[in-house]
Amino acid sequence: MSNQINQAVSKVFNKLADALETGHIEPRIKIGLTIDGSELGLDVMRQAAETIKQNNLFDVVLIGSDVEWASDFEHVSTTDCQKDAYEMMEELLHDGKIDGCVTLHYNFPIGVATVGRVITPAFGREMIIATTTGTASTQRNEAMLLNAINGVAVAKTLGHKDPTVGILNVDGAKTVERALVSLKENGYELNFGESARADGGIVLRGNDLLTGTCDVVVCDSLTGNVLMKLFSAYNSGGQYEVAGFGYGPGVGLNYRDNICIISRASGAPVIANALTYAYELAKGKIADVSKEEYDKALSAQLNTIRESLQVKTETSEKVVAPEKEIVTAEIGGIDVMELEEAVQALWKGNIYAESGMGCTGPVLLVNEKNEAVAGELLKTEKYL
């Protein structure tokens, strides 16, 4: 232990010496936190922010409505509408005023999915679940292939130089295994883990989840979302997430924003851990690591393998968007997994539409003059 302390002190002194010699001191990392929208109220946000402040590793920037305790932190005031908070969060990220952010229910673009992080109950091991929200691809097996790359990128950002990867035993697992093996044979570095069950293999069982057999578990986002809830709230009845790091950052090809997701049921410990997660990702430069992993995968014929996983139908047709219009009317109530399909359905009906984020979650946006007819068309197509 004394040797570890000496090493830590030595690192601090080396950094100070470098700073004095070069005159360059690294700016302190800032992580945003949108504080409105939790089902548990604002107090869990306060508790989490105060925990981070006491630990003093990085600074928290609050984004949201005015509350008395916000004066203890850097605070960017917005209304209590999540849409306003998201727009401010994006502005702060793109201006470099924050290095990452923790928020609720963010509408990532298709191609981006979140990578969760949990503590497994059997041995207290950390485990990456790739992925937990968002849609890496509308094709399930293709999405799981990309999820593997996303999970590896996050694991490496967190300091795992050669993370072990396993595939959860869900529909398509063996197909995804073959795709990942092909990617590896083409030159992409992958360190496959192995199930602890007697028959072993890359495909993981429920036991492997509990023990944390692999560093990265690959699955589809819907399954990953359920797993996150179970790992975080199994001992609280599901109403309050008490363990883990939240649903993680959105990762995908050419995506660079460090935005980490929590749920409306995330408690103060999970929110504090999510903030720390975002800090570690900012420090490890997740966007750069992700780009490097995707560049390697593309060199290993990723696109060719992706194409082989896509379901092709003779009736499929490319829908071209109508002429762009100003879209201010919001249509809610569409399943987030069907949102992009709903956009295509309206385009096919010659109604310009976009997916977006409203105050209550993902919405479909149309011009006000088209709101009524768009709603009827969506009902006819069974999206509403």
Side-chain angles (χ1 to χ4, degrees):
M1 180 63 74
S2 61
N3 187 43
Q4 291 177 336
I5 294 174
N6 289 336
Q7 289 178 350
V9 171
S10 177
K11 286 182 180 179
V12 172
F13 276 114
N14 287 338
K15 283 187 176 181
L16 287 172
D18 289 342
L20 289 171
E21 184 177 342
T22 63
H24 174 71
I25 300 176
E26 290 186 7
R28 192 168 165 89
I29 289 176
K30 293 184 176 184
I31 302 298
L33 173 64
T34 64
I35 60 175
D36 298 295
S38 171
E39 293 176 357
L40 304 175
L42 286 165
D43 196 53
V44 293
M45 300 295 182
R46 178 188 61 78
Q47 292 176 45
E50 288 179 350
T51 296
I52 298 303
K53 188 174 184 179
Q54 290 169 5
N55 292 339
N56 199 30
L57 281 174
F58 58 95
D59 295 328
V60 175
V61 178
L62 304 181
I63 303 169
S65 57
D66 293 322
V67 286
E68 184 178 346
W69 53 270
S71 61
D72 294 333
F73 302 87
E74 185 176 345
H75 176 217
V76 180
S77 178
T78 69
T79 67
D80 60 0
C81 173
Q82 284 181 278
K83 179 182 178 182
D84 292 342
Y86 293 143
E87 290 174 354
M88 179 55 67
M89 172 188 74
E90 291 166 353
E91 181 179 327
L92 293 171
L93 280 168
H94 297 161
D95 289 346
K97 294 180 180 178
I98 57 176
D99 304 286
C101 194
V102 172
T103 190
L104 300 93
H105 203 67
Y106 186 72
N107 188 32
F108 290 104
I110 296 293
V112 177
T114 58
V115 179
R117 182 181 177 191
V118 300
I119 305 295
T120 57
F123 303 123
R125 286 196 65 207
E126 280 193 12
M127 184 173 70
I128 298 295
I129 297 180
T131 57
T132 60
T133 66
T135 309
S137 167
T138 55
Q139 302 283 350
R140 178 193 179 98
N141 291 346
E142 182 187 9
M144 289 174 64
L145 169 68
L146 300 175
N147 291 348
I149 299 170
N150 295 339
V152 168
V154 167
K156 287 186 175 181
T157 304
L158 295 175
H160 298 281
K161 293 182 179 179
D162 194 20
T164 55
V165 177
I167 307 164
L168 189 61
N169 191 20
V170 296
D171 288 346
K174 297 303 290 185
T175 301
V176 175
E177 178 183 348
R178 289 192 294 269
L180 287 174
V181 169
S182 295
L183 196 65
K184 183 174 182 177
E185 289 175 347
N186 292 342
Y188 180 70
E189 295 180 3
L190 263 179
N191 180 18
F192 289 121
E194 188 170 354
S195 171
R197 298 295 294 272
D199 49 352
I202 301 171
V203 176
L204 306 179
R205 317 306 201 276
N207 313 62
D208 299 305
L209 293 177
L210 297 174
T211 57
T213 302
C214 292
D215 297 315
V216 177
V217 173
V218 177
C219 60
D220 60 284
S221 284
L222 289 177
T223 301
N225 194 275
V226 173
L227 291 178
M228 291 301 299
K229 183 64 67 178
L230 291 173
F231 275 110
S232 62
Y234 68 89
N235 59 357
S236 67
Q239 300 301 313
Y240 189 101
E241 295 177 3
V242 297
F245 297 78
Y247 298 71
V251 185
L253 179 63
N254 298 323
Y255 191 75
R256 298 194 62 83
D257 288 343
N258 178 15
I259 299 175
C260 291
I261 301 302
I262 53 175
S263 87
R264 296 186 182 97
S266 295
V270 171
I271 299 169
N273 283 346
L275 287 163
T276 303
Y277 190 6
Y279 159 73
E280 292 172 336
L281 293 168
K283 191 175 179 182
K285 302 187 184 307
I286 177 60
D288 292 343
V289 177
S290 174
K291 182 181 185 307
E292 183 178 352
E293 289 304 310
Y294 268 100
D295 285 346
K296 291 177 182 176
L298 289 168
S299 296
Q301 301 178 38
L302 172 63
N303 285 339
T304 300
I305 298 171
R306 288 181 64 175
E307 187 175 351
S308 71
L309 295 174
Q310 293 172 3
V311 178
K312 298 178 178 64
T313 60
E314 294 181 0
T315 57
S316 62
E317 59 179 302
K318 185 175 180 180
V319 180
V320 179
E323 185 177 347
K324 187 178 177 66
E325 296 179 312
I326 296 173
V327 288
T328 54
E330 299 180 358
I331 300 175
I334 303 170
D335 190 303
V336 66
M337 297 299 291
E338 296 180 331
L339 200 59
E340 293 303 321
E341 290 182 18
V343 169
Q344 298 274 316
L346 289 184
W347 286 2
K348 194 172 181 180
N350 202 34
I351 299 173
Y352 182 77
E354 299 175 5
S355 59
M357 177 61 65
C359 291
T360 57
V363 295
L364 197 149
L365 300 167
V366 297
N367 188 281
E368 289 182 359
K369 72 177 188 296
N370 296 326
E371 184 175 5
V373 66
E376 289 303 316
L377 192 153
L378 292 169
K379 289 177 183 177
T380 301
E381 297 295 326
K382 309 299 182 186
Y383 291 108
L384 287 175

